[in-house]
Amino acid sequence: MSEVFEPNREFSRQARIKNMCEYKELTHQVNDDYEGYWDKLAKEKIDWFEPYDKVLDESDAPFYKWFINGKLNVTHQCIGRHLKNRKNKAAIIWEGEDGSRRIITYLLLYYRVNRFANLLKNRFGIKKGDRVVLYMPMIPEAAFAMLACAKIGAIHSVVFGGFSAEALRDRIIDADAKLVITADGAYRRGTPYLLKPIVDTALESGCECCENVLVVKRNFEDIDMIEGRDHIYNDLIKNESQHCDPEPMDSEDPLFLLYTSGSTGKPKGVQHSSAGYILWAQYTMENVFDVKENDTFWCTADVGWITGHTYIVYGPLAMGATTIMYEGVPLYPDAGRWWNMIEELRVNQFYTAPTAIRLLHKVGADQPGKYDLSSLKVLGTVGEPINPDAWMWYYNEIGGGKCSIVDTWWQTETGGHMISPLPGATPIKPGSATFPLPGIKAEIIDEEGNPTPVGEKGLLCITKPWPSMIRTIWGDPQRFVKSYFGDCKKDGKPVYFSGDGAMYDEDGYITITGRTDDVINVSGHRLGTAEIENVVAHNDNVAEVAIVGKPDDIKGESLFAYVVTKTDIEADLLKKEINQLIVKDIGPIAKIDALLLVPGLPKTRSGKIMRRLLRTIAKSEDITQDISTLEDPSIIIKIEKLFKGE
Ligand code: WT7
C-alpha cells in the first residue's frame, strides 16, 4: 500500500475547499441537482452579456449544449471585467530565454488585444466564425493573437511550433483557415530558430484558403516575405485603434479548435465552446490550484497544447491572476533555470509534466537546493502518469515537503481538469490522480457500464456531460460520435470513453494505467501510431511497419518500430531515413527511438496486427497471451528472439 500525504494544515485553513467533508458535500450537491450545481456556478462565475435560459440541452446527445442562448465574450471574462479592480496588475509576465522580461498589465493587455482584433477585422477581413491558424513561439503575441480572435469571434487553431510544414499544411486545410499568424522565429537553447520559412513551405501546396500571413518579428532574422501575402505585425499594429467592442458570442459558439492525435487516421480538430470552456477553466484554477489574488501562477506548457490554452492563457486570465510565460527550455543555461525563475518571481503555483520532472531530477538533482523555493504552495503535474520516484523528488526537493501535488488527469477533449486532488482537502498518494472534481462523474467501468472491481483495470469513462467537453470534431461529427461515444454504455446510453484505462484502489483512489488504444504518450505528447505508420510506409524499403510504445526513463514512453523490409537495407540506415521522413511529415516529437527488422508481423487470421504482443515484447516482458489465434505463431517467437538479440 502506498504512503498517504495529508495536505499542509496551514494551507488547508485558507483553501477554498478545506477538507474531504467539504468535498463530499459538494459532490452530494451535484448528485442531488446536477443542473442546479452548474447553474449556480455559471451565474456566479461568468459575467454574461445576456443570461441563458436553460442549463443543459440533451436532446441531440451526444451533441450536448450548455447554457442555452446565453451571450458572452471570453475576452470580457478574461480581460475587460478586470479593468475595474486590476487595471495595473500584471496579467502576463513573460521571460525570454535570454533573461529579458516583459510585464503586461491587464490594461495593456486590453489595449494590445483590441489593436490586434482591429487588425484582424480591418486589414484581413476576419469575421465571426472564420478560422485563424496560429503557428507561434512562446511569446506574449501568441496569447494576444488567441484573445484577439476570441474578441471578434474568430476561431483560433494553434498549431504547436514543433510540428512540420506538412503537419501545419494539413491543419490549415482541414480548418479551411483564412489567415496564418506566425513569428519570424524565437530562441531555443540559446540559439535563434526560424518559424516563418516553415509556414512558407506549408503554403506552397494546397492552402488556397489562406490569403494572408501575419508575421510577428521576435528575433529579427532575415526572412523572405511574399509581397501582398505576408505582413509584418510590428508595423501594422501601430495604426490600429486601441478600442474594440467585443463580439457578443453565443454560449455554444466555438472558441477554438485544437488538433490532437487519435488511434486511427488523421488528427482530429477538437472543437471547444465559449461559455462551458471558460467556466471550467476558471473553476479549476480556483479549486485545483487554489490561486488567490496576489499569487503568481506558472504553467510550463507550450501554448500549442491544451494545457497552454487552459492554464497559461484562459484559466489564469479568467480569474484575474498573474500568469507566467517562458520562452525557452528548462536546461538553459543549466538545469536550475526553472528553480531560479521560481525564486526570482516568487511563484506560488507551479504546473509541469512528469517528463520534465524526471529530466531535471536526472541531470540536475543538486540544483533545487541552490534556490529559495519557499514561495511555492501548490505543485501540479499533467500529461502522463507520474512514477513514485519522480513524485517524491518533486514533493521533497521542489515542494519542501509542504506543498500538495495535484496530479491532474484530463485531455484535450475535456478542456480542463477532470480527476485531481484538491490541494487543501485531498490526502494524496504518489501516482494517483485521486478523485473526480466536484461536478464530474468519472467512472471506471466495462463496455456495458458495470463497475470494475478494486485493483482491476477498467475503462475510464465520464458518464454525464460536463460544460467544457469537446463539442465535435471539426468537419466530422460522425467521427466525434464514433471516437468518444462508440465504445461504452451506461444504463444502455452511450457515455464518453476517454481512451484511458484506470483502476480503483481499496480507498477508491483512481490510478490512470495508460491508453487502451493505439495512442502513445511520448514526453506527455500524444501521438497516434497509425499516423506515424502511414508516414513510415512511404519509405521505399518498407513493406510493413508497426509502431508501439516502449517504456522510457525520461520520456515515459518512446517509439519502437517493427519493420518488414522489401530490400536488404541495414537497420541503422533505415532508421535514419525513416526519422527524416517523420521530421518532414509530422515533426521531431514523433521520431522513432529504436527499430527492429523482423521477417513478418504477428497477425490474426483475419489479418489484424496483434499489437498487444508487440507491446509486450517491447516492454521486455514475457508473452503469456494465447498466440494460437495467430495466422503464423512462429513469427512471434522469431521476433522475440530478434529483440533479445539471440
Ligand atoms: C492523455 C491526454 C491533459 C493535458 C495534456 C495532455 C494522459 C493526462 C494524465 C495524468 C496519467 C495522464 C492520458 C490522457 N494523461 N494527464 N495526470 N496521469 N495520464 O493532453 O494530449 O490530450 O493527452 O494524456 O492518457 O488521455 P492530451
Side-chain angles (χ1 to χ4, degrees):
M1 220 181 93
S2 62
E3 212 178 331
V4 179
F5 296 80
E6 294 291 333
N8 176 302
R9 283 241 182 106
E10 222 177 297
F11 179 86
S12 292
R13 238 174 268 138
Q14 59 80 62
R16 286 192 178 79
I17 302 176
K18 297 177 174 32
N19 49 55
M20 286 312 269
C21 288
E22 290 188 8
Y23 167 76
K24 283 180 191 140
E25 167 57 29
L26 285 172
T27 50
H28 280 145
Q29 280 178 28
V30 181
N31 290 340
D32 287 351
D33 181 8
Y34 193 69
E35 289 186 28
Y37 184 82
W38 297 110
D39 187 27
K40 185 164 169 276
L41 268 186
K43 287 208 172 96
E44 211 173 275
K45 305 280 172 203
I46 294 186
D47 198 348
W48 296 94
F49 292 169
E50 283 175 39
Y52 50 90
D53 42 47
K54 191 174 169 14
V55 175
L56 170 62
D57 178 357
E58 303 190 75
S59 60
D60 192 20
F63 298 93
Y64 296 99
K65 295 181 185 68
W66 286 86
F67 312 119
I68 315 306
N69 293 327
K71 299 280 180 290
L72 77 166
N73 187 288
V74 163
T75 66
H76 176 68
Q77 185 73 9
C78 290
I79 313 170
R81 72 186 182 114
H82 301 312
L83 295 183
K84 200 165 141 231
N85 298 320
R86 305 190 175 99
K87 177 174 87 170
N88 290 324
K89 175 174 176 174
I92 302 175
I93 299 178
W94 176 83
E95 184 160 311
E97 207 188 50
D98 61 2
S100 57
R101 282 194 190 132
R102 289 168 66 189
I103 297 174
I104 298 124
T105 62
Y106 273 93
L107 183 69
L108 292 176
L109 179 62
Y110 180 70
Y111 288 147
R112 277 309 179 119
V113 169
N114 286 351
R115 282 182 196 270
F116 209 140
N118 284 327
L119 181 63
L120 297 183
K121 258 198 309 203
N122 303 336
R123 180 80 188 209
F124 301 114
I126 304 295
K127 297 181 305 296
K128 178 176 171 178
D130 286 344
R131 273 80 55 209
V132 176
V133 163
L134 275 58
Y135 189 64
M136 302 281 282
M138 287 289 287
I139 54 176
E141 284 74 11
F144 303 163
M146 291 162 78
L147 293 158
C149 288
K151 184 118 200 178
I152 62 172
I155 304 169
H156 60 71
S157 166
V158 184
V159 177
F160 172 59
F163 278 120
S164 72
E166 309 269 326
L168 174 62
R169 185 198 59 198
D170 292 348
R171 286 159 177 76
I172 295 170
I173 295 174
D174 191 78
D176 198 20
K178 260 179 128 171
L179 172 72
V180 175
I181 306 175
T182 187
D184 50 355
Y187 289 85
R188 199 186 290 139
R189 291 180 197 89
T191 37
Y193 68 94
L194 297 180
L195 274 179
K196 167 68 166 54
I198 302 174
V199 176
D200 292 337
T201 312
L203 294 184
E204 264 162 25
S205 56
C207 288
E208 279 83 24
C209 54
C210 177
E211 296 155 6
N212 293 288
V213 177
L214 182 61
V215 185
V216 178
K217 288 226 154 191
R218 153 71 183 126
N219 60 1
F220 299 89
E221 298 279 322
D222 252 347
I223 49 163
D224 292 334
M225 295 290 283
I226 295 183
E227 186 74 41
R229 187 195 75 180
D230 300 349
H231 314 266
I232 295 188
Y233 164 88
N234 313 51
D235 298 338
L236 297 178
I237 198 73
K238 296 181 204 136
N239 309 327
E240 297 298 333
S241 152
Q242 47 186 33
H243 298 283
C244 174
D245 287 331
E247 183 77 29
M249 302 295 285
D250 191 273
S251 296
E252 282 296 314
D253 279 335
L255 178 61
F256 63 84
L257 309 179
L258 188 58
Y259 284 80
T260 190
S261 299
S263 50
T264 52
K266 56 177 192 159
K268 310 182 264 199
V270 172
Q271 180 179 317
H272 277 289
S273 69
S274 296
Y277 172 80
I278 202 67
L279 174 66
W280 200 241
Q282 184 173 329
Y283 177 85
T284 52
M285 279 298 293
E286 291 177 354
N287 293 305
V288 176
F289 294 120
D290 202 58
V291 173
K292 298 286 166 56
E293 189 62 48
N294 286 321
D295 286 350
T296 302
F297 177 84
W298 184 13
C299 163
T300 67
D302 189 282
V303 284
W305 309 111
I306 189 71
T307 314
H309 283 56
T310 309
Y311 299 108
I312 295 178
V313 181
Y314 288 113
L317 299 178
M319 69 170 301
T322 298
T323 180
I324 293 180
M325 195 173 182
Y326 170 55
E327 178 185 42
V329 298
L331 298 182
Y332 187 82
D334 59 39
R337 178 61 182 266
W338 282 1
W339 321 133
N340 188 12
M341 282 179 65
I342 291 175
E343 174 182 283
E344 289 194 6
L345 298 168
R346 304 301 291 158
V347 173
N348 303 107
Q349 293 86 11
F350 180 71
Y351 192 33
T352 194
T355 186
I357 299 166
R358 288 192 292 263
L359 176 71
L360 291 169
H361 181 191
K362 187 166 173 205
V363 304
D366 59 328
Q367 289 285 354
K370 298 183 187 164
Y371 300 94
D372 173 8
L373 305 178
S374 61
S375 59
L376 289 169
K377 297 194 283 188
V378 179
L379 299 173
T381 71
V382 59
E384 48 177 329
I386 179 163
N387 48 308
D389 257 9
W391 195 99
M392 286 311 307
W393 186 74
Y394 197 34
Y395 187 77
N396 288 320
E397 303 306 317
I398 309 305
K402 67 172 178 53
C403 303
S404 272
I405 295 183
V406 291
D407 177 347
T408 60
W409 177 86
W410 58 297
Q411 311 178 292
T412 304
E413 292 86 345
T414 69
H417 306 148
M418 302 295 279
I419 303 177
S420 170
L422 298 168
T426 317
I428 43 180
K429 296 186 188 182
S432 169
T434 73
F435 307 108
L437 297 186
I440 298 302
K441 199 82 185 137
E443 295 181 70
I444 307 173
I445 52 180
D446 66 13
E447 275 97 349
E448 301 308 320
N450 308 304
T452 311
V454 169
E456 276 178 38
K457 279 189 200 174
L459 308 173
L460 179 56
C461 292
I462 317 293
T463 54
K464 268 182 179 288
W466 68 101
S468 64
M469 68 193 295
I470 172 177
R471 292 306 193 261
T472 187
I473 292 174
W474 180 258
D476 202 345
Q478 273 151 14
R479 190 174 176 202
F480 163 72
V481 178
K482 191 165 169 283
S483 303
Y484 302 107
F485 293 88
D487 294 314
C488 297
K489 284 197 168 110
K490 173 108 197 268
D491 304 326
K493 231 171 88 179
V495 291
Y496 178 90
F497 172 45
S498 63
D500 280 335
M503 67 190 172
Y504 294 115
D505 75 3
E506 60 282 4
D507 302 319
Y509 279 63
I510 296 174
T511 294
I512 312 298
T513 54
R515 303 288 308 193
T516 62
D517 54 10
D518 294 319
V519 168
I520 304 180
N521 197 325
V522 179
S523 302
H525 299 320
R526 185 164 147 185
L527 301 167
T529 41
E531 201 183 327
I532 309 172
E533 286 166 5
N534 287 342
V535 172
V536 174
H538 282 120
N539 183 292
D540 289 338
N541 301 289
V542 174
E544 268 191 306
V545 57
I547 293 177
V548 300
K550 183 177 185 306
D552 183 282
D553 283 350
I554 303 270
K555 299 191 230 176
E557 278 185 293
S558 66
L559 299 180
F560 189 91
Y562 296 91
V563 185
V564 184
T565 50
K566 294 186 231 173
T567 60
D568 52 11
I569 185 166
E570 280 179 24
D572 281 350
L573 180 61
L574 183 59
K575 184 180 150 200
K576 220 168 118 194
E577 286 188 13
I578 284 177
N579 274 335
Q580 280 166 356
L581 259 181
I582 291 175
V583 169
K584 181 174 148 292
D585 282 0
I586 303 176
I589 53 170
K591 281 201 317 200
I592 58 167
D593 246 55
L595 173 152
L596 186 68
L597 295 179
V598 292
L601 295 173
K603 288 185 187 158
T604 59
R605 284 186 199 104
S606 58
K608 196 169 170 301
I609 298 175
M610 292 282 279
R611 287 168 187 283
R612 230 169 353 107
L613 297 174
L614 296 174
R615 280 197 284 264
T616 306
I617 295 178
K619 280 190 207 154
S620 306
E621 287 172 4
D622 290 331
I623 291 183
T624 53
Q625 297 102 323
D626 175 21
I627 55 169
S628 62
T629 55
L630 289 179
E631 189 196 1
D632 175 6
S634 75
I635 283 282
I636 202 73
I637 316 284
K638 286 183 198 150
I639 296 178
E640 211 175 2
K641 282 197 172 144
L642 284 167
F643 182 84
K644 291 183 180 153
E646 287 168 8

